[in-house]
Amino acid sequence: MTGRSDMMPVMNTITEHDRKISEALTALSLQQNQNFDDSPRISRRIVIAVGITIMLAASTIVAVRFHPVARLSFENATERLPSKPAKGFAERDEASRASSAGAPATPFPPSEITGSGYVVALRATTVYSKYEGEIADIRVEAGEHVEAGQPLIYLRDPGAVFSLEVAKAARRSAGLSVDAKRIELAQALSRLNRNKALASVVAGQQLEEAQANWQSATNALAQAEQNETASDLVIGIAQERVDALVLRAPIAGTVTRLNAHIGDSVLARADSLRDTAGLLTIADPKTSVIDADVAETALTTLVTALKGEAVLDAYPGRSFPIVLSRLAPVVSAEKGTISVRFSIPQLPAGIRPGMAARIRLTHESPTQGEAK
């Protein structure tokens, strides 16, 4: 139904044209009738049929040419036709090779190298409790400077103190036994010497008994002295455990972390499986360096003793010199960076371990070197 409704305006627009064609055909037919009065009826029918066919063909052409809907469809179809065939794969590859022919295969390394990292203290340690105990007193605070050997935390362990007292009592008993054995040995030696002096008077059996008693007293004294030495070792072990109840600073530095409270029970270091079991951490800021990461593309320009500058995020307006001291032996495949370490010839005021820092190194490229 849609097609028929669209064709109705077409038929109205070509009515005048059809009329003119019909008149022309009629005139032609009349002329033929005048010239050939005796032509058969079938000839006129053929001429009329041919005329109608020509008329319908002309009407269709005019409708397609001048009808708005048909003309719009024809123009849209014409616009969709490609005006020029697209390039093939071979032509595009050739164009790509031509455009990249002038670019350098290996660019020069960057003249400026930047990176970020953190301040690290080379001398830093975490203080643990060697044995179990209860925190009785804390003599230090976070941020405080301490000296090596300074008492930091006192622990309470009644069992360790009791073991020391028992060891000391055993040591005293061992000492008394040694003294007794020494007296016995002295008596045995005196009898032996007397029997030797009276060898011509006393029987040989008495001399032999005196000799045996002296030898036995000598062995008994040696055994007592051995027990005394063992008692000293027991005292040393007990004393070491009692001494370990006082946690002292292993190095001089600043307390950077304190994780202890009075009354807390602490585990022995051997039984602790976590690093967080440490009671406090001490770091020496005088040994601070900067560990940073830079892009691996700058690896060819990184050499030891290369100088640069760094800025702490806490003090963005204060830069200080740094010197490259070490490169990591491997490159991080995940990040595409290499870790480097920088020494700090002169520590800036306020620097602390753990601070974030940004580094910048300046290196001349080959082009700059040739220009000079």
Side-chain angles (χ1 to χ4, degrees):
M1 297 296 294
T2 303
R4 294 176 61 98
S5 61
D6 292 341
M7 292 300 296
M8 293 300 294
V10 176
M11 298 302 295
N12 293 334
T13 57
I14 62 175
T15 302
E16 183 65 22
H17 186 272
D18 294 343
R19 186 181 61 79
K20 292 180 179 181
I21 295 176
S22 177
E23 292 177 355
L25 293 177
T26 303
L28 178 62
S29 177
L30 292 176
Q31 185 177 1
Q32 289 179 352
N33 290 333
Q34 293 176 359
N35 297 330
F36 303 98
D37 294 334
D38 297 332
S39 59
R41 187 186 301 260
I42 190 170
S43 298
R44 289 195 300 271
R45 293 180 179 179
I46 293 174
V47 171
I48 294 173
V50 172
I52 293 174
T53 302
I54 296 173
M55 179 184 64
L56 293 177
S59 301
T60 303
I61 294 173
V62 172
V64 174
R65 179 64 180 85
F66 294 99
H67 190 264
V69 178
R71 182 178 181 179
L72 180 61
S73 301
F74 178 78
E75 292 177 353
N76 291 339
T78 305
E79 291 178 357
R80 287 195 297 268
L81 292 177
S83 59
K84 186 178 181 180
K87 292 183 178 181
F89 288 106
E91 295 178 355
R92 289 197 296 268
D93 292 343
E94 183 178 356
S96 177
R97 288 194 298 270
S99 62
S100 62
T106 304
F108 291 127
S111 59
E112 185 176 273
I113 304 170
T114 59
S116 59
Y118 297 92
V119 178
V120 178
L122 295 182
R123 293 191 64 192
T125 182
T126 301
V127 179
Y128 297 87
S129 174
K130 189 174 182 180
Y131 302 105
E132 296 180 359
E134 180 183 343
I135 298 178
D137 193 12
I138 300 175
R139 300 291 182 87
V140 71
E141 295 181 358
E144 183 178 343
H145 178 79
V146 296
E147 298 294 336
Q150 178 180 335
L152 305 175
I153 298 176
Y154 288 86
L155 302 179
R156 182 186 297 111
D157 185 3
V161 177
F162 177 76
S163 298
L164 177 60
E165 295 299 327
V166 170
K168 289 181 178 180
R171 172 63 177 79
R172 288 192 294 268
S173 177
L176 293 175
S177 177
V178 169
D179 293 340
K181 297 305 179 181
R182 285 174 180 171
I183 294 173
E184 292 177 0
L185 177 59
Q187 293 175 350
L189 181 60
S190 177
R191 285 192 298 270
L192 177 61
N193 291 334
R194 186 172 56 252
N195 287 332
K196 286 181 177 181
L198 300 175
S200 59
V201 179
V202 300
Q205 184 178 359
Q206 293 179 351
L207 182 59
E208 291 178 358
E209 289 179 355
Q211 183 73 28
N213 291 334
W214 173 80
Q215 187 66 42
S216 177
T218 301
N219 293 338
L221 177 59
Q223 184 64 43
E225 292 176 344
Q226 186 68 28
N227 293 337
E228 185 181 35
T229 302
S231 299
D232 290 337
L233 294 177
V234 174
I235 290 178
I237 294 174
Q239 186 66 55
E240 187 270 341
R241 181 152 187 168
V242 172
D243 293 342
L245 297 178
V246 180
L247 305 183
R248 301 179 182 272
I251 61 173
T254 303
V255 178
T256 59
R257 183 179 66 90
L258 180 61
N259 188 27
H261 304 86
I262 296 177
D264 289 349
S265 297
V266 297
L267 297 175
R269 178 68 180 93
D271 298 332
S272 177
L273 300 179
R274 301 175 303 167
D275 291 339
T276 54
L279 300 178
L280 55 88
T281 302
I282 301 174
D284 186 2
K286 296 180 181 179
T287 63
S288 295
V289 297
I290 295 179
D291 286 346
D293 291 337
V294 299
E296 64 175 310
T297 54
L299 183 59
T300 57
T301 63
L302 294 176
V303 292
T304 56
L306 184 62
K307 297 181 180 180
E309 62 179 0
V311 176
L312 300 175
D313 287 356
Y315 307 103
R318 293 160 46 185
S319 62
F320 52 92
I322 56 176
V323 180
L324 180 60
S325 59
R326 194 181 69 180
L327 283 78
V330 296
V331 175
S332 174
E334 294 80 8
K335 300 186 296 183
T337 58
I338 182 172
S339 298
V340 292
R341 172 166 291 177
F342 298 93
S343 60
I344 307 174
Q346 185 176 0
L347 295 176
I351 189 171
R352 299 183 181 183
M355 280 185 166
R358 291 171 293 158
I359 61 98
R360 184 172 70 91
L361 306 174
T362 302
H363 188 279
E364 294 183 355
S365 65
T367 303
Q368 295 174 341
E370 293 174 1
K372 292 184 178 181

